[in-house]
Amino acid sequence: MSEHISSQFNIELENVRTAVMQMGGMVEKQLTDTLNALLGMQGAELKPVIESDSVINGMEVKIDEECQLIIARRQPAAGDLRLVLTVSRVIVDLERIGDEIKKAALKAHELIDHSRAVASDFYDFNRMCGQTIPMLRRALDAFARIDTSALLELIEADKQLDHDYRSSTRSRVTYMMEDPRTISTSIDLMFMNKAIERVGDHAVNIAEHVVYLAKGIDVRHTSVEVVKEALSDKK
Amino acid sequence: MSEHISSQFNIELENVRTAVMQMGGMVEKQLTDTLNALLGMQGAELKPVIESDSVINGMEVKIDEECQLIIARRQPAAGDLRLVLTVSRVIVDLERIGDEIKKAALKAHELIDHSRAVASDFYDFNRMCGQTIPMLRRALDAFARIDTSALLELIEADKQLDHDYRSSTRSRVTYMMEDPRTISTSIDLMFMNKAIERVGDHAVNIAEHVVYLAKGIDVRHTSVEVVKEALSDKK
């Protein structure tokens, strides 16, 4: 980032970056706590996950206000402005990840609490959850180090996740057909799986924001080819 | 909005507002076209809906770039900055609505194309779609007129939509149990219904952004009581 006359400005920028990393750490913890609770079939351990969503929401609002103050007071330009705008985009995705995890944790809590599911029912969810944890970590790390190389890796990882999600849905349909008594539980599991599949999309979004931060190019809604072009040395 | 020395600046602000209304109009058209296609069971009419999603994505990117340029060049303050930031939030929700409609239209197209659903299968979806059209219109109108009163109305309308969504899910589960051959179609219908339920959430979000624009208060993730307090004359 460019040099600033005001060291106070530097501190403010550094503070929002740190706050994003803290928020990201909270969301990552939500994911790992959910996975651990389900591996141990400990419904009670999902309660703090569900409750932490409001803390994450509060972090989003606070960081967003901080960004607005910086824009209003400091009138940042070029790379600094991009950093502030990137932060305000990344926190939206982090908040949505928090939302998706909460949704999944609520369903899981109910399924376990009412003995409507056994450990093996969560197999697909747990595997996908295990895939999203390194994806989120990679995305946060990319933001911290302004590393554009994460995007293509995450697009690949997300393809695998989407594939696994679709196959989990197909196998659930088979279960339901074979034993209609599993329909109600299966539907809850399918919505849990959908939620965790969405977490992967948001991790990809965060890596897209990092490309915007580094290169000033908006690669949302574009093809892998356009992304590769943008990341090539031509720019 | 405050007076500007630069009339060019005024024109730029007016242009992004107009662009948001155009984008909103496109999304509204997607919704009405989807509803009409399903009422007439015309799968082919869903194709333009699906294709228009990329146009809407392009509009989001373009308006967002416009907002960044205004911030960088004009260094807007107070109400002007809020307007620009509100625009950049509203277009995110409009883009997500476009995504949800596309998802629903894709599933509907496949169901009709493969004769996997009859007109009555779309009854719940169509009713909910019919509820979201005035919700979106109200939200866009609120943005155009900076009318904070839309929020409480939309929160109420969204409650009804959520209620209808839950009851549609319950009735689908009953169908599936009674006739397991309907499972696969029912699951697609449930995801369509989920998509349209999300459209309502985004309409509420837009009305929340309007409150931020008018009052400078962030009412996301808050209770109805906090919203009422914020909208009371005390502020």
Side-chain angles (χ1 to χ4, degrees), chain B residues 211-234:
Chain B
V211 171
Y212 166 75
L213 174 58
K215 306 255 178 184
I217 312 163
D218 197 329
V219 289
R220 290 175 299 172
H221 319 305
T222 55
S223 66
V224 176
E225 286 65 40
V226 174
V227 172
K228 282 186 179 156
E229 171 83 18
L231 295 181
S232 72
D233 285 330
K234 279 176 239 160

Side-chain angles (χ1 to χ4, degrees), chain A residues 156-189:
Chain A
E156 277 309 305
D158 193 48
K159 262 189 211 160
Q160 182 63 45
L161 186 65
D162 288 351
H163 173 270
D164 291 353
Y165 165 69
R166 282 193 299 272
S167 97
S168 78
T169 302
R170 274 194 302 273
S171 75
R172 270 292 139 198
V173 171
T174 313
Y175 281 125
M176 286 191 263
M177 295 219 196
E178 283 168 2
D179 184 357
R181 286 169 305 173
T182 66
I183 287 176
S184 188
T185 294
S186 286
I187 286 167
D188 282 343
L189 291 168

